[in-house]
Amino acid sequence: MVAAVAAAAQNDRGLRAAIDFHGVSHRYELEGQALPVLHDVNLAVNPGEFVALVGPSGCGKSTLLRLAAGLDQPSRGAVLTEGAPVQKPDPSRVLVFQDPTLFPWRTVRDNVALGPQAQGTLAASSARIDDALKLVKLEGFAGAYPHQLSGGMAQRAALARALVNNPRVLLLDEPLGRLDSLTRLSMQQELLSLWRQAGYAVILVTHDVEEALLLSQRVVVLSERPASIKAVVEVDLPYPRHRDDSRIVKLRQQVLETLGFGG
């Protein structure tokens, strides 16, 4: 069944999509009852594209990221990467969570080195690890431990741990959600800078509509659970963007109205 759906998706959209959700529905079992989470989601994210997902809390945004990462398999439909079914986790698709989840007994550098160590390439990856630390501006904190970092620095370390794998797809599950407002603004710009330098595809889950509009090229608005796509808002504006730009304000109102918060 997955092979047939994959073939159909290839015919429809070709092999270029970094991540392609093709007719994806998903449900969980909760206390013996089926809990539908996603319904017939069709979304192709191209290489190098930045896409944001917004929607009501609990609608299934994080589930889409888990499916893209290969941590779960859809109940129906297929998730493809470059035309091939996503069947398991792979370093080319990295998921960054809201919590940095750093190992407290390892230094920042040793946390960043987890991927190469797990792949048996640690000895050959020293330069890659150093480059990842430089990208997130933590080269001066390589020997620090997680408890010595601020919240923003810990999230940078988590990003470096993802980037050291040279991913083609970066999956971000509210990575800035627990930061204070000033740190969050700074990290938004750093995320944007990293994406523009590296050129990977990004799928960002966020509850902040303004953040989605400032960072992404498309904002995908999801419905209540089981989530389907209500609207796709194109953000065809140059970077850097400013929250008081009248075009951003207008798009923000459009997204909020789609979410049911008009007026």
Side-chain angles (χ1 to χ4, degrees), residues 189 192 212-217 235-243 245 248:
Q189 295 310 308
L192 194 58
L213 293 168
L214 290 173
L215 298 181
S216 71
Q217 296 168 305
V235 192
D236 187 17
L237 298 173
Y239 297 101
R241 298 170 183 168
H242 303 283
R243 52 190 32 82
D245 185 320
I248 292 289

Side-chain angles (χ1 to χ4, degrees), residues 100-165:
T101 61
L102 302 175
F103 289 117
W105 59 87
R106 299 181 69 125
T107 65
V108 167
R109 194 178 197 283
D110 287 343
N111 268 286
V112 173
L114 279 169
Q117 184 178 13
Q119 296 166 45
T121 61
L122 183 59
S125 300
S126 181
R128 276 171 49 205
I129 295 166
D130 291 338
D131 288 345
L133 287 168
K134 288 177 184 176
L135 271 175
V136 300
K137 303 176 184 176
L138 283 180
E139 62 269 32
F141 292 86
Y145 287 88
H147 73 273
Q148 298 172 309
L149 305 178
S150 68
M153 292 167 72
Q155 198 57 270
R156 286 193 193 99
L159 282 169
R161 184 175 58 190
L163 297 176
V164 77
N165 295 301

